[in-house]
Structures are given as structure tokens and as C-alpha cells.
Amino acid sequence: MEEVKMEDVRAEAAVAVASTLVDKVHQERKSNAAKIVKYPPPPPFIRAVLLVQAFVRRRAFLRSFGGVGAGDNVDEEILELAPAKPMMSIALNFVRRLKSFRWVNIEREATLVAGLVDAQAANITMRDVSAVVNYYQDKVPSDHLSLNVLQEALDRQVIVAKEALQERASKLTTPAAIVEAMEQAISDFQVPPEREDRVLDQTRIRLKRIVAEAEEGLRKMLAESSSTPAIDAVAARFKRDFGPVASVVEEELKVARIRRVQFLEMELETRWSRPFAGPLPPHSRAARRYELELGKKNPKVISFVTEEARHAATLEADFEVELSDLRAKVRDLTQKRMEARARSLIQ
């Protein structure tokens, strides 16, 4: 019987176990690829606080042994006992947080961060403060002091942004200008999407009132417009005053222009008899008006202008014939007058 070596058995078993573990890890990665990370990393402000803490902690430890902050002139044994370097410390902190935020004393950390936010609220953007509030609101009790402090700091920033926007919007009279002011306020104060409603609510009320007043004014102008250039002028003012703001007046302008064009095209077909007859000035004035309102490339306008030119040529030819007859009559009368005068002088 062949002797079995234990070392070979152990090696084969180790390979089998390793293969099983590899397959299991690969399967878990595939199944968790589409899952959302349960514990996201903290926002930038908290990261900065943790980085400063890690730096101060390591420097204090090294200075307690007579070294400087960078670790110069310190024994290697002491360096091994010292806290990790700041970037490494942050990396380890994030890895542990990804597994569970309970790894840290979250309430103590929230209190510390809230105090720093409250002290530096004037130098921190609303987006950063809102991110801190969102991060801690599901990790500490709702009545925790840190959340109250953070919410108060956020409320102060919201009020400042809202009042600045209201003061600017009160001097504006067009919807486009108010919308631009709202977008500028969101950019200047770095308002996060979840806080936009609180910052913009009062300005949106004013925007609705300004839109209603502007729509009423445009409707009055449209009612007084009796030509396509006048309607186009109202449409140009609508684009200038409303900008990206949607309004039913835009559709009303389109309908009014279409109806005016349809009326003129119908007038071209029914008002003027073909071929043209009568005086030329009414036809010439109508041709200029149709070219102005419908455009020179409109097929019906082209047909009308062509007919007007033909009519003008016909009238001109008739005038030439009539003028020629009149010239002959004038020559004949002049000749008769000269003969009659000569006979009178002879007698």
C-alpha cells in the first residue's frame, strides 16, 4: 500500500479551501455589485475635522517623547507605537465606517462637529452644512443637541440667502430677471437641492404674481396687433421678458400669428378678381402689405405680385397707346390753330 504523505494532503486541502473561498468571494462581489453602500463616507467637512484630529493626535504623541511633529529624531520603536499618519488614519477610519458607523462614538463626534460648524458658520457653505445634517440625522437621536445646533446653523444660512434673494427680486419686474436672480442666489450661496424650496418659496410667490401681470400686458398688446409684424414684436417681447419661464401666452401668440396668416392667404384668394382690373395703386399697396406680412417667398404672394406686375405692364401699354393718340390730337389741333391764326393775319 502506497504511503500517504501528510504534507501533500495538507497542501491539497489548502488548495481546495482557497479555491472555495475565491469562488465565494467572486460570487458575493457579483451579487453585491448593484447594491447601494449602506454606510456612505462622511461629507467633506467631517473628513477635514477627522484629518485635523489625526494630525494633532500624532503630533502630540511624538512631542511627548521629545520629537517634532514630523517624527524627526524619534526612535523607530516609538514611531511604531505612534498613531498612524493622518492620511492612513483617515483611510482606516473610512474603512471601518463602511462596515458600521457604530465603530466610532457617533454622538460625541456629532457634538464636536456641531460646535465647529456653529463657530465657523460664516465660513462654511450651506451645501457643506446641509451635508453634515443629512449625515447625522439618521445616526443620532432626533432630539440630540448636535442636530439642534446644526439645524440652527443651517436655518440661519437659509434665512440669509432667502432675505438677500427677496431684496434683489423686489427690484425686478420681469419673470426672466427673477428666474435669473433665483439661479444666481442658488449659485452664490451654494444651496443644495434639498434646501432650494425653503430658499425660493417666497420668491416663487412673487414670480407667479409678476408672470400674471406680464401675461395680462402681453394679451392687451396682442389684442391691439393687427399685422404679423406687430404680432412678431409682441412675441419678441415675450421672449425677452419671460426667457425660460413657460406661459400659455406663447401658444396664444403662435395661434394669433397662424390665424393672421390664414386670413391674409384667404384674402389673397377671395378679395381680388383675376385678372386684375381697375386702378393700379390699390393693387400695389396690397402687394407691399402682403410681402411685409407674409414674406416675399410665400407662393401666393409671389403669384399676387406677378399678377400686379402684369397688370401694371398692361396699364402702362394702354397708357402709351392713349398717350400716342393724345399726342396726335394735340399735333392736329396745334396745326389747325396755326393755320387759323395765319388766315386771320392775312385778312
Side-chain angles (χ1 to χ4, degrees):
M1 184 176 180
E2 186 177 357
E3 183 179 358
V4 178
K5 294 183 179 180
M6 294 303 298
E7 294 181 357
D8 295 340
V9 173
R10 291 192 185 96
E12 292 179 0
V15 170
V17 170
S19 300
T20 303
L21 290 176
V22 168
D23 293 340
K24 182 179 179 181
V25 170
H26 179 68
Q27 188 64 29
E28 288 180 352
R29 287 181 177 179
K30 287 180 64 177
S31 61
N32 296 331
K35 292 183 179 180
I36 301 175
V37 178
K38 186 176 180 180
Y39 305 111
F45 184 82
I46 300 178
R47 301 178 201 176
V49 172
L50 295 175
L51 181 62
V52 172
Q53 282 183 332
F55 175 78
V56 172
R57 188 185 303 113
R58 179 178 174 83
R59 186 177 62 176
F61 178 86
L62 294 177
R63 284 185 174 180
S64 65
F65 290 93
V68 296
D72 297 336
N73 301 324
V74 178
D75 294 338
E76 292 185 1
E77 295 180 357
I78 296 176
L79 287 177
E80 291 180 358
L81 297 174
K85 292 183 179 181
M87 297 305 296
M88 178 61 70
S89 178
I90 292 296
L92 293 174
N93 188 295
F94 285 2
V95 169
R96 290 162 180 165
R97 282 173 184 265
L98 287 175
K99 294 182 177 180
S100 174
F101 67 87
R102 295 182 180 85
W103 178 81
V104 297
N105 187 342
I106 201 70
E107 294 186 8
R108 182 174 179 275
E109 180 187 278
T111 303
L112 171 64
V113 172
L116 292 174
V117 169
D118 186 63
Q120 299 292 328
N123 302 320
I124 307 174
T125 65
M126 189 188 305
R127 190 168 298 166
D128 290 335
V129 178
S130 181
V132 174
V133 173
N134 294 338
Y135 180 76
Y136 285 124
Q137 64 184 0
D138 60 343
K139 296 177 176 61
V140 299
S142 59
D143 58 347
H144 196 265
L145 176 62
S146 61
L147 277 184
N148 294 333
V149 173
L150 289 171
Q151 193 61 53
E152 289 177 1
L154 181 60
D155 290 342
R156 288 196 300 269
Q157 291 184 328
V158 169
I159 292 172
V160 170
K162 179 184 290 188
E163 290 179 348
L165 176 58
Q166 289 179 354
E167 181 180 0
R168 182 179 178 185
S170 63
K171 303 175 183 178
L172 305 175
T173 58
T174 61
I178 293 178
V179 170
E180 183 181 357
M182 293 165 65
E183 294 176 351
Q184 189 64 38
I186 291 175
S187 175
D188 292 343
F189 292 95
Q190 296 192 28
V191 182
E194 64 272 14
R195 311 296 173 183
E196 288 183 3
D197 290 339
R198 292 185 58 191
V199 174
L200 305 178
D201 53 358
Q202 295 299 320
T203 306
R204 284 172 176 167
I205 295 175
R206 174 173 173 77
L207 175 61
K208 291 181 180 179
R209 184 170 65 253
I210 294 298
V211 166
E213 294 175 356
E215 288 178 344
E216 183 179 357
L218 288 174
R219 287 193 177 100
K220 290 180 179 179
M221 294 176 61
L222 183 60
E224 298 172 356
S225 302
S226 58
S227 64
T228 53
I231 296 174
D232 292 341
V234 178
R237 179 168 180 177
F238 170 81
K239 291 182 179 179
R240 182 178 67 252
D241 292 350
F242 278 73
V245 181
S247 173
V248 295
V249 175
E250 184 176 8
E251 190 64 26
E252 294 174 6
L253 288 167
K254 294 179 181 178
V255 171
R257 196 181 196 287
I258 291 173
R259 288 178 177 175
R260 177 62 181 173
V261 170
Q262 290 175 345
F263 170 78
L264 292 173
E265 290 180 345
M266 182 64 68
E267 183 182 85
L268 275 169
E269 296 291 336
T270 59
R271 179 178 177 181
W272 309 97
S273 60
R274 303 294 199 280
F276 290 167
L280 181 63
H283 298 86
S284 299
R285 287 194 298 269
R288 289 194 297 270
R289 181 166 63 89
Y290 292 141
E291 286 182 337
L292 179 63
E293 295 202 42
L294 298 178
K296 296 182 179 181
K297 296 182 179 180
N298 187 292
K300 295 183 179 181
V301 173
I302 294 174
S303 176
F304 187 90
V305 172
T306 302
E307 180 63 21
E308 186 265 343
R310 186 203 63 77
H311 183 48
T314 301
L315 292 177
E316 184 178 358
D318 294 343
F319 176 75
E320 289 290 342
V321 172
E322 184 178 357
L323 182 62
S324 178
D325 294 341
L326 290 175
R327 285 175 178 172
K329 290 181 180 179
V330 169
R331 285 195 300 269
D332 185 49
L333 291 173
T334 302
Q335 183 66 28
K336 290 180 179 181
R337 179 186 175 191
M338 293 300 295
E339 292 176 355
R341 186 177 180 185
R343 189 180 300 111
S344 167
L345 291 174
I346 293 174
Q347 293 177 354

